Amino acid sequence: ILNVEQSPQSLHVQEGDSTNFTCSFPSSNFYALHWYRWETAKSPEALFVMTLNGDEKKKGRISATLNTKEGYSYLYIKGSQPEDSATYLCAFKSGGSYIPTFGRGTSLIVHP
Amino acid sequence: DSGVTQTPKHLITATGQRVTLRCSPRSGDLSVYWYQQSLDQGLQFLIQYYNGEERAKGNILERFSAQQFPDLHSELNLSSLELGDSALYFCASSARDAAPEAFFGQGTRLTVV
């Protein structure tokens, strides 16, 4: 069983704050790391796919980094807005199975 | 809109019953995954089909089964339902096994009473 951990479990920030959260995954047999954004009553939506150690991806105010050797990825949100409120999921794919194993997510609430 | 359609959106049924959840993948996607999300749990992988064949199995109970049809839509059958089967069931599709990303449907909320 692959262990994918996300921290913190939940986060409350004020509008305008920058924030970051962590996804930890096995450091062996790495294939890909995915970040998804999941708003209530909607389907999870892909944010980033990261495949190489040292990858950095950016989409607007959201960015992510990847360290496959130590088995972690960070997701950063700069200047959080209320519309950023969602659960952020990471999913790890190993080279053996390609089945995404999901963490439990970080629930972000941005207060106006 | 992800292009993945799941029906029904909500389902309420009694213990002991059997239900079928349906998933239509994005056009052209060959791979379909089923996930279960129970309260306070992450998305738990149940089963994957690729072009009509079972490709991988996760923590799927023997009371549950799935299939993928020639038109690539998939059904997840849940039988002898128990209260603990109440969960959000997601279907996701991708072009192939090692595709960069999977696209999720909006899920079916199953409540067993």
Side-chain angles (χ1 to χ4, degrees):
Chain A
I1 296 176
L2 299 172
N3 203 22
V4 180
E5 300 283 343
Q6 289 189 249
S7 62
Q9 190 175 340
S10 66
L11 200 49
H12 290 250
V13 301
Q14 290 297 128
E15 183 175 353
D17 288 350
S18 293
T19 187
N20 67 85
F21 17 95
T22 306
C23 173
S24 302
F25 50 84
S27 55
S28 60
N29 204 13
F30 176 87
Y31 181 77
L33 192 283
H34 299 248
W35 281 101
Y36 287 85
R37 171 192 157 89
W38 184 15
E39 290 181 75
T40 304
K42 294 187 178 179
S43 54
E45 176 193 351
L47 283 173
F48 303 117
V49 180
M50 310 179 81
T51 56
L52 297 174
N53 185 41
D55 253 357
E56 289 190 29
K57 298 275 174 119
K58 186 171 177 168
K59 189 183 282 190
R61 293 177 292 98
I62 304 177
S63 59
T65 61
L66 178 69
N67 184 323
T68 61
K69 293 186 178 177
E70 295 182 42
Y72 65 84
S73 176
Y74 293 138
L75 189 79
Y76 301 90
I77 302 179
K78 187 176 175 183
S80 303
Q81 299 296 309
E83 57 266 30
D84 296 327
S85 298
T87 295
Y88 291 83
L89 297 168
C90 71
F92 166 78
K93 272 187 188 172
S94 73
S97 76
Y98 307 118
I99 302 295
T101 299
F102 283 83
R104 291 190 181 189
T106 292
S107 171
L108 174 68
I109 296 174
V110 182
H111 299 277
Chain B
D1 181 7
S2 67
V4 179
T5 304
Q6 286 189 249
T7 56
K9 286 197 173 125
H10 302 275
L11 198 47
I12 301 175
T13 191
T15 54
Q17 295 299 304
R18 173 191 163 94
V19 297
T20 297
L21 313 184
R22 184 188 165 101
C23 170
S24 294
R26 282 192 328 153
S27 178
D29 282 358
L30 299 177
S31 196
V32 170
Y33 307 80
W34 285 97
Y35 286 86
Q36 178 194 56
Q37 195 204 25
S38 305
L39 201 62
D40 294 333
Q41 296 289 318
L43 286 165
Q44 299 291 313
F45 169 67
L46 295 177
I47 197 163
Q48 179 203 2
Y49 276 81
Y50 182 81
N51 203 21
E53 306 264 333
E54 182 185 300
R55 181 61 66 99
K57 247 182 179 176
N59 298 323
I60 187 166
L61 299 171
E62 283 191 16
R63 299 183 285 109
F64 296 0
S65 64
Q67 53 187 326
Q68 187 178 28
F69 295 87
D71 67 353
L72 300 177
H73 91 269
S74 178
E75 292 181 354
L76 179 67
N77 302 296
L78 315 176
S79 61
S80 303
L81 285 167
E82 302 175 0
L83 296 177
D85 298 327
S86 297
L88 191 53
Y89 291 84
F90 279 107
C91 162
S93 75
S94 66
R96 59 191 189 282
D97 269 349
E101 61 187 283
F103 295 84
F104 280 80
Q106 290 197 311
T108 293
R109 169 73 65 186
L110 173 67
T111 303
V112 183
V113 297

